[in-house]
Amino acid sequence: MRAILTILSGVLFGLGVTISGMVNPMKVLNFMDINGQFDPTLLFVMGAGLATTLAGYRLVLRRKTPFFAERFHMPSLTVIDARLVGGAALFGLGWGLSGFCPGPAVASLVFGTSQSVIFVAAMALGMVAARFVARRPA
Amino acid sequence: MTLTEFTPLAGAMGGAMIGLSAIVLLAAAGRIAGASFIFAGLFTTELDGNFVWKALFIAGLLFGAFLAGQFWFDAAAITFPSGPAVTALSGLLVGIGVTLGNGCTSGHGICGLARFSKRSLMATLVFMAVAVATVFITRHALGA
């Protein structure tokens, strides 16, 4: 049951990033282009996504355990350090250059464009390389 | 630069689905639906249960995108603002950044904010601000 629901969660994610248009890098960059060809769609994606998750998480976290697992695996780090800020800044720079962030980029592989393959391969390389620098694997 | 159509309804529906995805994964498996964390987990030599659930999620994600492309999304609309070299550099930066920063748009921007994580709030503010600044510089200051 847990496996089926994990797949379902993935399907919902894939549907969401695609239907919302986030798989289109031009649309994402136009959202960030506040002074130019501003397309506010992403605000609605983030807003609806966050509102839904906020409500759902509150309900789910009233339980002591998940339905089909022994415990909740919540992130344990609480400190805001240079690694967090620097990592987020590098991510923002990369995101602003291409318009791709990880979820939509992986989803866009099914549309068979060479740029998606280039991005995801380079991203995988970056992830593996950064593990050697990082204290703990992300 | 190409204009893209403002599509608030599709955006909100897609966003709600991303939220539902996060809720289902937390409720069923007790896991955070962060795309970068899950995808990075595929690159391991230990093919244990921790690998399997991530592979299942990514398989579902690809199927969901395929399904959406069949019925509700025109893949021909996908336009790349950058050439292959910039795309490769961008991918590398994103891969390094999300690993050091422990998350991306979904892990920090959706799941992290929904559980009131200060780290996620900081990360989200930083990557949004840097992304907006990057677009301003490449599109307007450099006139690309």
Side-chain angles (χ1 to χ4, degrees):
Chain A
M1 196 62 200
R2 183 167 70 190
I4 292 168
L5 290 172
T6 300
I7 296 172
L8 174 70
S9 171
V11 172
L12 284 166
F13 196 104
L15 283 170
V17 293
T18 307
I19 290 173
S20 67
M22 283 188 79
V23 289
N24 182 2
M26 188 66 82
K27 196 166 179 66
V28 176
L29 283 201
N30 284 351
F31 169 73
M32 296 166 180
D33 193 5
I34 296 164
N35 302 287
Q37 309 184 358
F38 186 49
D39 176 350
T41 303
L42 201 62
L43 201 64
F44 287 74
V45 183
M46 294 289 286
L50 184 55
T52 307
T53 310
L54 258 172
Y57 268 25
R58 284 184 84 96
L59 287 174
V60 172
L61 290 174
R62 277 188 199 163
R63 295 178 54 90
K64 284 204 169 65
T65 60
F67 286 93
F68 303 104
E70 283 170 14
R71 65 182 182 92
F72 290 109
H73 300 263
M74 302 310 259
S76 54
L77 298 175
T78 51
V79 185
I80 294 174
D81 54 9
R83 207 187 113 184
L84 175 79
V85 175
L90 285 179
F91 166 45
L93 176 62
W95 196 20
L97 284 175
S98 68
F100 260 148
C101 58
V106 173
S108 76
L109 287 174
V110 301
F111 302 119
T113 54
S114 61
Q115 293 257 50
S116 300
V117 179
I118 292 170
F119 181 92
V120 173
M123 178 173 79
L125 191 70
M127 285 170 164
V128 174
R131 274 189 207 159
F132 290 103
V133 187
R135 284 190 301 269
R136 60 171 69 201
Chain B
M1 277 186 251
T2 314
L3 276 171
T4 48
E5 196 187 341
F6 175 43
T7 47
L9 190 64
M13 276 178 53
M17 285 176 172
I18 297 169
L20 277 179
S21 159
I23 296 165
V24 169
L25 196 64
L26 188 74
R31 297 284 182 178
I32 299 290
S36 53
F37 169 72
I38 295 175
F39 180 71
L42 299 185
F43 303 96
T44 174
T45 50
E46 291 168 50
L47 303 182
D48 53 7
N50 214 5
F51 169 83
V52 171
W53 79 261
K54 290 170 183 169
L56 290 175
F57 181 93
I58 296 294
L61 185 157
L62 293 171
F63 180 70
F66 169 79
L67 207 64
Q70 295 297 305
F71 300 106
W72 304 287
F73 176 77
D74 179 14
I78 296 180
T79 322
F80 294 91
S82 53
V86 174
T87 299
L89 172 68
S90 154
L92 204 59
L93 289 168
V94 169
I96 296 169
V98 297
T99 304
L100 296 179
N102 295 99
C104 59
T105 327
S106 49
H108 280 311
I110 300 280
C111 299
L113 292 185
R115 54 181 198 88
F116 306 103
S117 157
K118 281 184 191 140
R119 272 173 61 87
S120 290
L121 177 62
M122 177 56 111
T124 306
L125 290 174
V126 169
F127 66 64
M128 287 305 308
V130 174
V132 167
T134 303
V135 172
F136 180 80
I137 291 169
T138 53
R139 281 192 174 179
H140 301 289
L142 299 176

